[in-house]
Amino acid sequence: MPAPRKYPLELRERAVRMYRTAEPKPVIRRMAEELGVHPEALRGWIRQAEADAGERDDLLTTAEKEELAALRKENAQLKRANEILKAASAFFAQELDTTRRRY
C-alpha cells in the first residue's frame, strides 16, 4: 500500500497549471510559498508534468513509471515462484533417489 500523499492531487494539478500558464515564468520558490508547499515538491511536480508532456527526455513519464513498477512486482513474484519450484524439485528428486539408503 503506497504512503499517503502529503499534498492533494488537486493542489498539485492546479500548481502545475498555474506555473505552465504564467508569463513570464514565476520563481518556483515564491510560488511555492504562496501555495504553502515545499519548493522542491513543486519543482518535482513541474518536471514530471514536463516529462509527461514530452518536453523532457531525462525523466520517465508517469505511465512508464507505473509500467516499470508493475514489471518489477511481477519479476519479484516470478522469482519467488521459481525458488519454490526449485525447492520442490530438490525435495522430490531426493525422495525418488534409488541409491539412497532407507532406514
Side-chain angles (χ1 to χ4, degrees), residues 77-98:
Q77 290 173 342
L78 291 172
K79 284 182 179 180
R80 279 192 301 273
N82 197 19
E83 289 301 317
I84 292 169
L85 291 172
K86 282 181 184 179
S89 174
F91 174 77
F92 288 118
Q94 188 178 24
E95 289 294 316
L96 296 174
D97 189 7
T98 58

Side-chain angles (χ1 to χ4, degrees), residues 7 12 28 37-46:
Y7 303 109
R12 294 175 65 161
I28 291 177
V37 300
H38 193 276
E40 287 305 312
L42 179 58
R43 186 181 321 279
W45 301 341
I46 292 168

Side-chain angles (χ1 to χ4, degrees), residues 17-89:
R17 190 171 45 251
M18 285 174 53
Y19 178 82
R20 292 176 61 93
T21 59
E23 286 297 329
K25 293 296 179 205
V27 176
I28 291 177
R29 180 173 289 129
R30 188 173 307 130
M31 187 176 168
E33 289 172 2
E34 292 172 6
L35 294 171
V37 300
H38 193 276
E40 287 305 312
L42 179 58
R43 186 181 321 279
W45 301 341
I46 292 168
R47 291 181 69 200
Q48 189 61 51
E50 290 171 347
D52 290 344
E55 299 168 6
R56 296 184 73 103
D57 292 333
D58 61 334
L59 296 175
L60 295 176
T61 65
T62 302
E64 290 170 335
K65 285 182 179 181
E66 291 170 356
E67 181 183 9
L68 183 59
L71 290 172
R72 285 181 174 163
K73 184 177 180 179
E74 181 183 3
N75 191 21
Q77 290 173 342
L78 291 172
K79 284 182 179 180
R80 279 192 301 273
N82 197 19
E83 289 301 317
I84 292 169
L85 291 172
K86 282 181 184 179
S89 174

